[in-house]
Amino acid sequence: MKTKSRGRITMALAVNTSRFDNITMAPPDPILGVSEAFKADTSDMKLNLGVGAYRTEELQPYVLKVVKKAENLMLERGENKEYLPIEGLAAFNKATAELLFGADNPVLHQQRVATIQGLSGTGSLRVAAALIERYFPGAKVLISSPTWGNHKNIFNDARVPWSEYRYYDPKTVGLDFDGMIADIKAAPDGSFVLLHGCAHNPTGIDPTPEQWEKIADVIQEKNHIPFFDVAYQGFASGSLDEDASSVRLFAARGMELLVAQSYSKNLGLYAERVGAINVLCSSADAAVRVKSQLKRIARPMYSNPPVHGARIVANVVGNPDFFNEWKEEMEMMAGRIKSVRQKLYNNLSAKDKSGKDWSFILKQIGMFSFTGLNKAQSDNMTDKWHVYMTKDGRISLAGLSAAKCEYLADAIIDSYHNVS
């Protein structure tokens, strides 16, 4: 590039450096990266069991019929796109708290729940993490081992310390209940205990009702604060009430608690980013103050939440016909996942002549199954069989069709027995 300077021609050399040269390349996301690798695979046999998103029997994305009806209603009303308040859509907040706790729950009538709309489950967890960091300095969050891949990222980003409690027992491919209880007991008094309300991700292993009672006993004894992540209400068992029973048990004991909610799975609103953070307090006065601080945290973080998904939820829950149709569709989706879970088990049991007991697959619940495969075996699933999954052995049964169950069983048996 030539430039004039006081009558002389000077040469300015372009310097190919950046102020951002010290920023390193981030590693690929362990879950979303699976989908990217799947898309690049040209095999006709490829199967994406990585991301937790519901698919039809034809393995296509599914938009619920009731969602389409709710959206048509929104068009008919000619609703605008004005900003929502910081706390979100009032009709949504009312509906989501009632779905979680039950419309007749005294905690709602006593106005002891602070609810704000969040950016699905992730955003709601992140707001709660900021609340913990700000008002419970030094408090630790106990996280199950293993847990959803984003939990640790969220607390790390919020600078909230965390440690793990035992959950998965590889020997039984079941719940290490004694280890879980021991670790919760050993934690410093007043810790936050992150619990999966239903359909534990990634294991699909949930405590029994009796075990939930014992977990609540220990948390109360230690003066811990339960923090539920409820991402699958209605999608695990097919029943909204059954899948909220753990949260309602703790609420009925008079415990203060936090609950993050998501409507990505149960209404298929993955891209709408609609969820909520609820804080159950011991008094209405405390709930008012907590809500004010949740709003204060949200304001510089994202200002206010999106309206479209919130209106869908409010319309579905607020219309009795829509609400019943939604419950039927949830039962259908949950039923399809239960069906392929059973068929996968049947194929594994019939084809594997080693005598291995695969019944743990039937004891798990929700969209995931924790296969017990290690990283090398999971790599074999992908490299040899074109089955894409997370490296901890988790598969999403929501992405499996009945027609592919036999193929998947062959892949699992081969990987389990022939790869160490």
Side-chain angles (χ1 to χ4, degrees):
M1 179 177 70
K2 290 184 178 181
T3 63
K4 272 193 175 181
S5 177
R6 296 184 181 180
R8 296 193 313 241
I9 300 292
T10 61
M11 299 295 290
L13 297 176
V15 182
N16 212 8
T17 59
S18 168
R19 296 290 180 90
F20 307 106
D21 277 348
N22 64 331
I23 296 179
T24 59
M25 180 65 72
D29 185 272
I31 297 176
L32 300 181
V34 172
S35 290
E36 294 169 10
F38 171 79
K39 289 175 184 176
D41 191 331
T42 57
S43 171
D44 291 336
M45 300 304 293
K46 67 179 182 178
L47 194 57
N48 187 0
L49 305 182
V51 179
Y54 182 79
R55 296 290 181 263
T56 64
E57 178 61 27
E58 295 71 40
L59 301 184
Q60 295 302 308
Y62 179 65
V63 179
L64 275 68
K65 295 173 185 175
V66 74
V67 166
K68 294 177 181 178
K69 289 181 179 180
E71 288 181 314
N72 286 334
L73 182 62
M74 290 157 61
L75 286 173
E76 290 170 11
R77 290 174 177 170
E79 291 173 322
N80 61 45
K81 300 294 183 182
E82 290 291 301
Y83 288 124
L84 285 178
I86 300 170
E87 66 264 37
L89 186 71
F92 167 81
N93 288 343
K94 181 177 184 293
T96 197
E98 289 180 352
L99 281 174
L100 180 64
F101 293 103
D104 297 327
N105 198 311
V107 301
L108 296 180
H109 298 305
Q110 294 160 6
Q111 299 182 320
R112 292 199 286 120
V113 181
T115 300
I116 72 163
Q117 183 185 334
L119 305 183
S120 198
T122 300
S124 301
L125 286 161
R126 183 62 180 80
V127 169
L131 184 78
I132 293 170
E133 190 275 335
R134 188 170 295 183
Y135 293 101
F136 299 85
K140 184 177 286 188
V141 176
L142 304 182
I143 301 173
S144 67
S145 177
T147 193
W148 176 50
N150 216 17
H151 278 149
K152 295 174 184 177
N153 294 335
I154 290 166
F155 293 110
N156 284 339
D157 208 48
R159 299 182 181 181
V160 173
W162 54 267
S163 63
E164 294 181 310
Y165 60 83
R166 282 169 283 178
Y167 194 86
Y168 171 69
D169 184 351
K171 294 177 183 176
T172 63
V173 197
L175 178 63
D176 182 0
F177 184 66
D178 291 340
M180 178 185 185
I181 292 297
D183 289 345
I184 293 173
K185 278 184 177 179
D189 289 10
S191 297
F192 288 81
V193 183
L194 187 66
L195 302 162
H196 299 227
C198 63
H200 183 275
N201 178 2
T203 68
I205 302 162
D206 284 356
T208 64
E210 294 75 24
Q211 288 172 332
W212 274 121
E213 293 276 4
K214 292 178 183 176
I215 293 166
D217 287 341
V218 174
I219 288 177
Q220 280 189 299
E221 288 167 13
K222 292 288 294 183
N223 201 30
H224 293 329
I225 302 174
F227 184 175
F228 285 91
D229 185 358
V230 178
Y232 305 99
Q233 187 182 354
F235 197 78
S237 68
S239 165
L240 287 163
D241 292 326
E242 184 176 337
D243 290 347
S245 60
S246 58
V247 174
R248 294 177 188 179
L249 164 68
F250 281 62
R253 286 181 168 223
M255 302 170 74
E256 293 186 299
L257 52 86
L258 292 78
V259 190
Q261 291 172 279
S262 167
Y263 289 89
S264 293
K265 308 300 191 296
N266 56 12
L267 262 172
L269 300 177
Y270 305 98
E272 301 297 349
R273 312 312 296 148
V274 58
I277 179 65
N278 306 265
V279 183
L280 172 57
C281 305
S282 60
S283 69
D285 176 64
V288 170
R289 287 183 279 108
V290 168
K291 185 172 181 178
S292 75
Q293 294 298 339
L294 292 173
K295 290 164 61 177
R296 187 182 181 190
I297 290 166
R299 175 61 169 154
M301 194 180 284
Y302 56 84
S303 195
N304 46 19
V307 71
H308 191 81
R311 281 183 178 149
I312 292 172
V313 175
N315 286 339
V316 168
V317 177
N319 181 312
D321 291 336
F322 286 1
F323 188 55
N324 288 330
E325 187 171 339
W326 177 36
K327 289 193 284 187
E328 289 173 3
E329 286 195 87
M330 266 191 296
E331 289 175 9
M332 179 273 293
M333 291 189 292
R336 196 189 85 73
I337 293 171
K338 289 176 184 176
S339 174
V340 295
R341 185 184 289 279
Q342 181 69 54
K343 190 161 187 178
L344 175 61
Y345 165 76
N346 292 345
N347 276 278
L348 286 167
S349 298
K351 286 172 166 286
D352 185 4
K353 306 303 182 184
S354 72
K356 176 175 172 58
D357 182 7
W358 294 98
S359 64
F360 64 85
I361 289 176
L362 297 181
K363 296 172 185 173
Q364 298 168 357
I365 190 171
M367 70 191 324
F368 299 115
S369 178
F370 214 53
T371 61
L373 299 180
N374 61 31
K375 184 181 182 300
Q377 292 164 339
S378 299
D379 285 339
N380 184 70
M381 294 281 287
T382 302
D383 298 340
K384 179 178 178 179
W385 293 89
H386 306 275
V387 175
Y388 289 82
M389 56 192 286
T390 53
K391 300 307 179 183
D392 57 4
R394 186 195 81 171
I395 58 174
S396 172
L397 296 178
L400 178 64
S401 65
K404 289 279 191 176
C405 284
E406 184 176 358
Y407 178 77
L408 179 60
D410 288 337
I412 291 173
I413 290 169
D414 172 64
S415 300
Y416 180 78
H417 289 295
N418 298 324
V419 180
S420 59

